[in-house]
Amino acid sequence: MATVSFSVNGEVRALKLDTRTTLLDALREHLHLTGTKKGCDHGQCGACTVIVGGQRINSCLTLAVMHEGETVTTIEGLGTPEHMHPMQAAFVKHDGFQCGYCTPGQICSAVAVLDEIKAGIPSHVTGDLNAAPQLTNTELRERMSGNICRCGAYSNIAEAITEVAGRRA
Amino acid sequence: MKFDTPATTNPIDQLKVIGHATSRIDGPLKTTGRATYAYEWHDRPASPAYGYIVGAAIAKGRIASMDLSRARSAPGIIAIVTAENAGKLGKGNYNTAKLLGGPDIDHYHQAVAVVVAETFEQARAAAQLVKVDYAAAKGSFDLSAGRDGAAKPPGRGDDQPDTTVGDFPGAFASSPVQLDATYTTPDQAHAMMEPHASMAAWEGDKLTLWTSNQMIAWTTGDVAKTLGLPKENVRLISPFIGGGFGGKLFLRADAVLAALGARAANRPVKVAMQRPLMFNNTTHRPATIQRIRIGAGRDGKITAIGHESWSGNLPEGRPETAVQQTRLLYAGENRMTALRLAMLDLPEGNAMRAPGEAPGMMALEIAMDEMAERLGLDPIEFRARNDTQVDPEHPNRPFSQRQLVECMRIGAERFGWNKRNAEPGKQRDGRWLIGMGVAAAFRNNLLMKSGARVRLDRGGTVTVETDMTDIGTGSYTIIAQTAAEMMGVPLEKVVVRLGDSSFPVSAGSGGQFGANNSTSGVYAACVKLREAVAQKLGFNSAEIAFTDGQVTAGNRSVPLGQAASDGELAAEDSIEYGDLAKTHQQSTFGAHFVELGVDVATAEIRVRRMLAVCAAGRILNPTTARSQVIGAMTMGVGAALMEELAVDKRSGFFVNHDLAGYEVPVHADIPHQDTIFLDETDPMSSPMKAKGIGELGLCGVAAALANAVYNATGIRVREYPITLDKLLHRMPDA
């Protein structure tokens, strides 16, 4: 057992945990923030994506105790049903989901992707590494490909993200 | 309510709410992480223990011995349940293999134990300490090897393994233009995003299961049967389901093991099946070998059509009915179909989205493309020449609606089909060989009894309760739209509660029968509630309008809620069907168009454009219907290009049993997708005049891709999935 303290959605949370506890299980089973989903527990599906220190990570692939003092944002921290984050609202508007299980991960990823592009971080499909990457269809689809949606809402998700980014799909 | 004559004008036809593109009413919950899935009811039951499943490491044989001693002494362990200590278990009506194996093992990763501990980490660690010694037996794992020994499976009602009309062999032999080709489709996995998961809590001999299940009534019955309980002692709660695709139609091991674990631990237990177990532990779509023979005259008219399919399953399992659509889709006087079933010791094969038609159309619609080419006909024209407005086996039985040719023609125009070069391998865009493909879409419309209860309170709020499920299909929203339309209230005044076995039994979610039947059940209950309201308010007229929250007849108008002023008003009813599905063949139709590029050097395939045109009765909500179709198109891309459970034919298991090994489409694989719904109402189907859509969208997609690959490269691949290795050695010169 070990203690760890980090900020989750703006609130400092201290936990006493089995050191084997993943960040994902700390959120879901200990803090009861079940918006973050467990789809595979092996870093293969992206359903557990959360934003830590401004970067998106698979919370199933990291232990909670590794995040002492860090800042975690989950889907619950982005917005509420009454006050949705623009990305959440865009997903509803464009029906960018069906069963909803991959959705929190898609939304956390999408929010982080826009920041990555703004920060000039290149991807596998960026043509010119010296130029600022643009949110093209190819860039968007490449960067979102770590988040599987078996219901197949990709086309709608792309519309939602491009709308939030202020571009036409 | 008995539906036994074609629908006439009814309140749904007002189309004030129904038929409008409407955002999901559960959308804000799902997008903000507030929707509660099976494993996530942390407040009830309180402080559950955690179960971790141990799967069998052999495909067939026996457990010689199990040593639980090290696991039992591990920290935090509360209980370990195995077949030896679980007590007598029955088997449900809907599963073939038993859900807790031992001492006999029926398939790889069949559950053999659940380890229950205080925490997930402790349960997982202790599960690794369970030592099992197996006596493996020889099994059969190879469908192609089992093909010759495959037997004729027993028939079920109208579904007979062999069908024949006219003289197929004679007509085929004498046809001037012939095709005789064999196609294969692989085993496929549902791979829904939410693993099978359940939480169980006992109160005496009463069991509550929070689970993830498509068919509440079936599964409640099977829980009772498996555990030897009266059905009324079992309560299932499943309001949100993280995808199913047929994989959650039935009781599965997670629910049984959570219940057994909770009984042994004497406290609530939750179990989520580990992702790497899912592919071999649960069901899958069985692989098929399909032989299709088509004979036609030079006029392009089919004279003979034959379709045979071989699939495998465990003893007492069913065949994959891949010939189903061939009995109905195209004209032709001489016909035959045959199903054969090989006994295999692979995991249980069962329904996956559009069972039968999905793999059947993967083969048939390549065959139609091949045949069109032999005839020198455009593939759309060939299909049009063989359209039939009646059931080809029973010409006195018309289709209730059939707009297949319209779907194809409208799609062709919208997609720019006339730009396709019929000669393969001739269209280039830089390093890409470009191809276009088309395929018909077809799936039957199924009618199932479905019930609902509707309650009205004094505030004018209408609450619908039914055990119907929403597996992402949009049930919450279309049910709310139905109640709003019927009761004349805005959508915001409707509350929908689903997925609870204490609610009236519905059709459930499967076979694309959910939307039409469940909303028809709500329609029936609302008709009763309208009568109760009218009576309560003292309206005698037959001409009562329910609009804008008011009940109006003549010049008298009363707020709807007033009917409940001295207590809630409730009504319950079911839709039941007469023989309209017997007198009329009810099916849904569509056309899939695909444009793709094949890299001339690497044979990499990239999908560029996709269009589906569907004729499927009234579209209740164009937003959610469209999502069903584009989702199915996406699954069709997977079926065409990547999805295959690889069989280890020595050890008898699916090797790629996780989401890294079993590849499904990701964002980068899917372009923008277009859909068109033809304006159609089908008064034979139900008072809603709707039909299914969710499976139609999948049927034919993969063949459209295969045909596009052929158009791009001139390479005809008949073995799915179409991976690079099947193209590279035959690619045209760059």
Side-chain angles (χ1 to χ4, degrees):
Chain A
M1 301 292 276
T3 56
V4 62
S5 163
F6 40 59
S7 157
V8 181
N9 301 331
E11 205 181 315
V12 176
R13 308 297 296 258
L15 290 168
K16 194 172 174 205
L17 293 172
D18 186 320
T19 50
R20 298 167 295 187
T21 308
T22 61
L23 177 59
L24 171 62
D25 283 327
L27 292 169
R28 280 171 65 82
E29 306 303 325
H30 296 267
L31 298 175
H32 295 160
L33 291 168
T34 51
T36 308
K37 303 303 183 194
K38 185 184 277 193
C40 70
D41 218 9
H42 287 70
Q44 300 169 344
C45 76
C48 66
T49 305
V50 297
I51 302 167
V52 178
Q55 290 193 2
R56 55 184 172 144
I57 60 167
N58 286 334
S59 61
C60 74
L61 286 187
T62 187
L63 297 173
V65 293
M66 295 159 66
H67 296 281
E68 179 64 36
E70 295 184 4
T71 303
V72 181
T73 303
T74 72
I75 191 71
E76 292 94 340
L78 288 180
T80 65
E82 296 73 29
H83 301 284
M84 287 188 276
H85 183 279
M87 191 65 79
Q88 292 168 325
F91 267 62
V92 173
K93 178 181 165 193
H94 292 278
D95 214 34
F97 61 97
Q98 291 205 66
C99 81
Y101 202 78
C102 75
T103 312
Q106 300 276 359
I107 291 172
C108 286
S109 252
V111 167
V113 159
L114 297 188
D115 289 342
E116 285 163 22
I117 291 192
K118 229 178 261 167
I121 299 168
S123 85
H124 168 65
V125 298
T126 307
D128 180 358
L129 296 181
N130 294 314
Q134 302 297 310
L135 186 70
T136 61
N137 277 335
T138 316
E139 280 283 0
L140 184 158
R141 285 173 160 87
E142 163 64 21
R143 288 168 193 263
M144 288 298 295
S145 282
N147 290 84
I148 296 174
C149 170
R150 184 59 161 161
C151 296
Y154 298 129
S155 187
N156 288 352
I157 293 171
E159 311 263 337
I161 299 173
T162 44
E163 181 180 284
V164 174
R167 290 174 53 99
R168 252 168 31 86
Chain B
M1 174 185 288
K2 187 85 180 259
F3 183 78
D4 50 10
T5 53
T8 54
T9 303
N10 68 44
I12 295 297
D13 294 315
Q14 300 173 98
L15 300 182
K16 287 183 177 165
V17 194
I18 286 287
H20 293 256
T22 305
S23 291
R24 285 167 205 268
I25 61 171
D26 48 334
L29 288 179
K30 283 180 171 175
T31 55
T32 60
R34 267 73 170 186
T36 312
Y37 297 81
Y39 201 76
E40 302 174 349
W41 299 84
H42 53 80
D43 52 343
R44 50 186 152 148
S47 60
Y50 291 79
Y52 199 90
I53 303 172
V54 180
I58 59 167
K60 189 177 165 76
R62 287 175 62 81
I63 295 175
S65 66
M66 269 179 118
D67 179 2
L68 305 179
S69 56
R70 283 187 66 210
R72 280 215 172 98
S73 57
I77 290 303
I78 302 167
I80 301 176
V81 180
T82 68
E84 206 172 2
N85 65 19
K88 189 171 154 36
L89 295 176
K91 191 173 78 60
N93 292 332
Y94 294 96
N95 55 300
T96 303
K98 54 187 190 292
L99 298 172
L100 177 58
D104 292 328
I105 299 300
D106 304 306
H107 63 86
Y108 193 81
H109 275 175
Q110 184 175 33
V112 295
V114 62
V115 176
V116 180
E118 293 289 343
T119 71
F120 175 73
E121 293 75 25
Q122 290 168 335
R124 181 178 59 192
Q128 319 305 321
L129 302 176
V130 171
K131 190 169 166 6
V132 188
D133 280 324
Y134 296 98
K138 201 171 147 47
S140 303
F141 309 118
D142 185 349
L143 175 60
S144 57
R147 176 178 170 173
D148 290 339
K152 185 152 91 170
R156 275 203 300 204
D158 289 340
D159 277 338
Q160 292 302 317
D162 288 352
T163 67
T164 170
V165 175
D167 171 22
F168 172 79
F172 180 71
S174 61
S175 298
V177 183
Q178 297 176 351
L179 172 80
D180 181 348
T182 297
Y183 307 84
T184 61
T185 64
D187 297 288
Q188 295 177 340
H190 309 85
M192 72 297 275
M193 297 310 296
E194 181 204 22
H196 299 260
S198 295
M199 297 178 58
W202 292 88
E203 272 180 75
D205 58 356
K206 288 195 160 62
L207 172 67
T208 303
L209 274 167
W210 291 262
T211 189
S212 184
N213 191 277
Q214 302 174 224
M215 300 294 289
I216 299 302
W218 289 4
T219 302
T220 304
D222 269 1
V223 169
K225 202 170 169 211
T226 304
L227 299 177
L229 299 169
K231 202 169 159 180
E232 54 275 16
N233 285 14
V234 180
R235 169 109 181 263
L236 253 62
I237 299 171
S238 184
F240 291 101
I241 297 148
F245 313 112
K248 292 174 180 169
L249 287 168
F250 316 114
L251 174 66
R252 296 304 312 168
D254 58 298
V256 173
L257 296 177
L260 293 173
R263 191 151 69 185
N266 202 23
R267 70 186 258 197
V269 166
K270 58 181 182 176
V271 176
M273 182 166 293
Q274 305 93 274
R275 177 63 66 176
L277 279 190
M278 280 175 62
F279 295 76
N280 285 286
N281 177 284
T282 71
T283 61
H284 65 281
R285 188 201 298 285
T288 64
I289 300 169
Q290 301 180 49
R291 182 190 187 196
I292 296 179
R293 284 174 287 172
I294 304 176
R298 302 221 177 271
D299 59 356
K301 296 254 189 184
I302 293 172
T303 52
I305 185 163
H307 194 160
E308 299 154 84
S309 174
W310 291 261
S311 60
N313 215 331
L314 289 164
E316 295 175 49
R318 300 282 310 159
E320 181 69 24
T321 54
V323 304
Q324 213 158 251
Q325 70 291 321
T326 307
R327 297 176 61 183
L328 290 162
L329 190 48
Y330 298 113
E333 276 180 32
N334 304 284
R335 331 175 56 89
M336 66 81 65
T337 67
L339 290 173
R340 292 295 178 269
L341 180 62
M343 285 304 123
L344 295 182
D345 299 295
L346 290 171
E348 177 176 338
N350 216 317
M352 178 169 149
R353 197 174 197 171
E357 277 105 330
M361 293 291 280
M362 288 168 78
L364 177 63
E365 290 301 294
I366 297 182
M368 289 298 285
D369 202 66
E370 296 199 56
M371 196 64 190
E373 191 184 35
R374 285 181 195 198
L375 287 158
L377 286 174
D378 180 87
I380 294 174
E381 175 59 24
F382 176 50
R383 287 175 176 90
R385 284 193 196 177
N386 292 286
D387 188 40
T388 171
Q389 294 294 317
V390 297
D391 172 354
E393 291 180 4
H394 306 96
N396 56 349
R397 189 167 169 263
F399 283 95
S400 59
Q401 299 274 350
R402 178 173 162 125
Q403 298 199 70
L404 173 62
V405 176
E406 289 81 354
C407 289
M408 297 219 132
R409 299 245 194 260
I410 289 167
E413 197 184 313
R414 178 72 69 93
F415 200 68
W417 182 251
N418 60 5
K419 294 192 186 71
R420 169 182 174 265
N421 188 337
E423 195 183 339
K426 294 291 180 235
Q427 210 69 32
R428 274 292 280 271
D429 175 10
R431 65 187 171 102
W432 299 98
L433 290 162
I434 307 299
M436 282 195 212
V438 69
F442 172 88
R443 172 74 172 150
N444 279 334
N445 182 55
L446 304 176
L447 302 180
M448 311 255 292
K449 183 179 173 182
S450 194
R453 180 164 55 231
V454 197
R455 300 192 278 115
L456 173 69
D457 72 14
R458 71 180 64 184
T461 295
V462 177
T463 301
V464 186
E465 292 171 339
T466 163
D467 83 354
M468 182 59 192
T469 49
D470 189 331
I471 60 175
T473 39
S475 309
Y476 276 106
T477 310
I478 56 172
I479 284 172
Q481 288 174 276
T482 303
E485 191 84 61
M486 290 298 291
M487 302 312 299
V489 296
L491 209 55
E492 301 73 50
K493 295 291 269 185
V494 181
V495 175
V496 181
R497 301 177 65 202
L498 301 180
D500 188 323
S501 62
S502 69
F503 298 156
V505 174
S506 72
S509 298
Q512 75 168 15
F513 53 65
N516 179 47
N517 292 290
S518 69
T519 53
S520 295
V522 173
Y523 171 94
C526 286
V527 167
K528 264 202 177 167
L529 184 60
R530 285 164 63 113
E531 288 164 8
V533 168
Q535 197 182 16
K536 191 83 188 171
L537 296 176
F539 283 99
N540 297 316
S541 164
E543 296 293 314
I544 307 172
F546 289 73
T547 45
D548 303 327
Q550 298 279 319
V551 188
T552 309
N555 53 11
R556 183 175 167 224
S557 190
V558 181
L560 177 66
Q562 202 168 302
S565 57
D566 55 353
E568 183 189 88
L569 224 50
E572 183 177 333
D573 201 3
S574 295
I575 192 84
E576 293 179 71
Y577 295 94
D579 64 356
L580 289 174
K582 288 201 174 70
T583 57
H584 292 74
Q585 174 57 39
Q586 300 191 13
S587 304
T588 59
F589 297 89
H592 287 292
F593 291 83
V594 172
E595 181 184 284
L596 50 73
V598 183
D599 187 298
V600 74
T602 67
E604 176 189 3
I605 301 170
R606 304 292 303 166
V607 182
R608 295 183 157 206
R609 292 193 294 138
M610 297 183 82
L611 168 69
V613 187
C614 301
R618 173 173 280 151
I619 300 303
L620 303 173
N621 181 349
T623 299
T624 51
R626 179 178 177 279
S627 290
Q628 279 284 286
V629 175
I630 67 167
M633 291 157 78
T634 301
M635 193 174 269
V637 172
L641 302 184
M642 61 195 83
E643 292 186 37
E644 176 178 24
L645 287 165
V647 181
D648 182 322
K649 290 173 187 169
R650 298 159 307 158
S651 309
F653 68 100
F654 300 130
V655 180
N656 47 342
H657 53 82
D658 61 25
L659 286 173
Y662 186 82
E663 293 184 3
V664 299
V666 299
H667 280 272
D669 297 314
I670 302 299
H672 176 76
Q673 295 165 320
D674 280 319
T675 61
I676 298 171
F677 296 113
L678 297 196
D679 198 11
E680 181 178 294
T681 49
D682 193 336
M684 301 291 174
S685 71
S686 75
M688 303 301 292
K689 303 172 188 171
K691 290 190 285 200
I693 189 82
E695 299 188 334
L696 178 69
L698 174 60
C699 296
V701 178
L705 269 98
N707 296 339
V709 168
Y710 176 74
N711 183 241
T713 62
I715 303 170
R716 187 65 80 176
V717 180
R718 300 186 184 87
E719 300 82 30
Y720 289 102
I722 306 166
T723 43
L724 309 194
D725 53 304
K726 294 169 189 167
L727 296 175
L728 264 178
H729 61 291
R730 295 194 275 166
M731 284 292 281
D733 291 335

